[in-house]
Amino acid sequence: MGITKTDHFTGKQNELAVLAKAIGHPARIAILEYLMKVDTCICGDIVNEMPLAQPTVSQHLKELKNAGLIKGNIEGNAICYCINEEGFEKIKSFFQQIDNYTKNKKNDCC
């Protein structure tokens, strides 16, 4: 079997792409905003806040968790979700690089 195109990029580049893809949906942005607002929550609370069906919300939560942007702990028969700061530190670091670039460069291109 051949190599995938992601094999041509660094681990950091692939990891950042996964994070960017995870936040690339408005429902996931809304979920993250809700988690930041309440600081912690149970899945049922998220479903009540979203204009989406429970299975759809669960799928978005799964994508965010797989990307490392949220954490989930089982509490009884529910899962309590919260923001995973480590995932956002990686995104923050990337955007800090862009910010530093734009502050220190006089862009004569285009």
Side-chain angles (χ1 to χ4, degrees):
M1 183 184 287
I3 62 171
T4 65
K5 293 190 186 300
T6 57
D7 290 340
H8 296 289
F9 301 98
T10 67
K12 184 176 178 182
Q13 290 166 334
N14 282 309
E15 186 176 33
L16 189 58
V18 168
L19 294 169
K21 183 179 177 185
I23 60 172
H25 192 287
R28 295 183 197 139
I29 297 293
I31 289 168
L32 291 168
E33 288 175 340
Y34 180 70
L35 289 174
M36 287 185 288
K37 181 175 86 173
V38 298
D39 194 32
T40 180
C41 121
I42 297 173
C43 182
D45 294 342
I46 297 171
V47 172
N48 294 336
E49 292 292 317
M50 299 291 126
L52 304 168
Q54 186 276 325
T56 304
V57 172
S58 292
Q59 183 62 36
H60 287 303
L61 288 167
K62 179 182 174 186
E63 292 294 325
L64 290 167
K65 188 173 179 189
N66 287 344
L69 295 173
I70 64 173
K71 299 183 273 188
N73 297 315
I74 297 173
E75 293 185 2
N77 60 354
I79 302 175
C80 182
Y81 291 99
C82 63
I83 296 292
N84 182 359
E85 294 85 3
E86 292 175 16
F88 284 97
E89 284 299 321
K90 295 171 186 173
I91 294 172
K92 183 180 169 183
S93 174
F94 178 71
F95 281 107
Q96 187 64 50
Q97 289 176 347
I98 293 171
D99 186 50
N100 290 340
Y101 174 81
T102 59
K103 285 180 181 176
N104 297 323
K105 173 135 173 91
K106 297 206 188 262
N107 196 351
D108 295 333
C109 178
C110 306

